[in-house]
Amino acid sequence: MEKYILTGGPGVGKTSVIRHLRDLGYTVVHEAARQIINQQKRRHTLDPSYDPILPQTCLSTFQLMVIARILHNEQKTRSKGAVFCDRGLGDGIGYCLAGNIPVPSGLDGLIERSGYTKVFLLEQLPAYKNDRVRHEDHEKATAIHNAILDGYRTLSLPVVIVPPYPVHKRVEMILDTIKQ
């Protein structure tokens, strides 16, 4: 199994590319952070006294939860072919850098043992849009994007920059790159 990371700051189109790859029949791993945010918000809705653990409330604890969820999601994924991950363990380095918090101990080792083949960093799109999970403004999204790139550049994984093409062109570029 070859695992590829699709990454970039908030709002770069990762989810759209992941959906397109899934629709083409590829195995995908959905974004762990988004899953946790939705879970935490649902829990708070059911119990208003519960303080949700979110990136804007407790980034360090949130990042530990994301790491655990990524490991869980990736370990349960079975495929003989390419697997595309909507973010990977290395994204945690970028979010820690952007949030000015320490990188969790042992994260580098987890990344080394993760089996990632290559990282595809999607460049920012011309228009940035928030959604019900994405709360960052454009300036913060850009800072996170740059920190994620800086974080991956500290690792021994090849990083391929994917320009802000339409989704089908981005997917075509990614697939052409993994076939080389």
Side-chain angles (χ1 to χ4, degrees):
M1 168 172 64
E2 292 186 338
K3 287 195 303 190
Y4 300 96
I5 299 170
L6 298 180
T7 192
V12 298
K14 294 176 304 296
T15 303
S16 296
V17 171
I18 282 284
R19 285 182 185 141
H20 195 90
L21 288 163
R22 181 201 61 210
D23 292 348
L24 291 173
Y26 289 93
T27 302
V28 300
V29 178
H30 296 285
E31 184 182 359
R34 189 172 283 265
Q35 293 169 356
I36 293 167
I37 290 168
N38 287 333
Q39 180 185 50
Q40 290 292 307
K41 287 182 174 184
R42 274 193 308 273
R43 187 168 171 191
H44 177 70
T45 299
L46 294 172
D47 178 5
S49 68
Y50 174 74
D51 288 327
I53 300 166
L54 300 169
Q56 61 270 31
T57 61
C58 188
L59 184 58
S60 55
T61 301
F62 181 79
Q63 283 303 314
L64 292 174
M65 292 170 68
V66 170
I67 291 166
R69 179 69 61 92
I70 288 173
L71 290 170
H72 172 78
N73 289 350
E74 290 181 7
Q75 287 170 354
K76 73 177 187 177
T77 301
R78 302 284 178 247
S79 176
K80 292 187 193 289
V83 173
F84 293 95
C85 304
D86 188 342
R87 297 200 179 281
L89 290 168
D91 284 61
I93 296 171
Y95 273 90
C96 290
L97 291 171
N100 262 341
I101 62 168
V103 174
S105 173
L107 182 57
D108 287 350
L110 289 173
I111 294 167
E112 286 177 23
R113 293 187 300 277
S114 67
Y116 296 128
T117 305
K118 195 170 286 189
V119 177
F120 291 95
L121 183 113
L122 280 64
E123 286 188 335
Q124 291 183 293
L125 298 170
Y128 176 77
K129 298 177 190 167
N130 287 29
D131 66 15
R132 62 184 176 76
V133 174
R134 187 183 312 120
H135 67 276
E136 300 89 356
D137 62 20
H138 185 261
E139 184 177 318
K140 180 69 174 173
T142 298
I144 292 169
H145 182 82
N146 293 334
I148 289 170
L149 177 57
D150 291 345
Y152 275 109
R153 284 186 170 155
T154 68
L155 303 171
S156 60
L157 291 166
V159 177
V160 177
I161 305 296
V162 181
Y165 299 145
V167 173
H168 72 281
K169 286 285 195 192
R170 285 177 148 189
V171 169
E172 186 178 295
M173 179 188 170
I174 290 165
L175 295 177
D176 286 348
T177 302
I178 71 168
K179 290 175 185 169
Q180 294 176 0

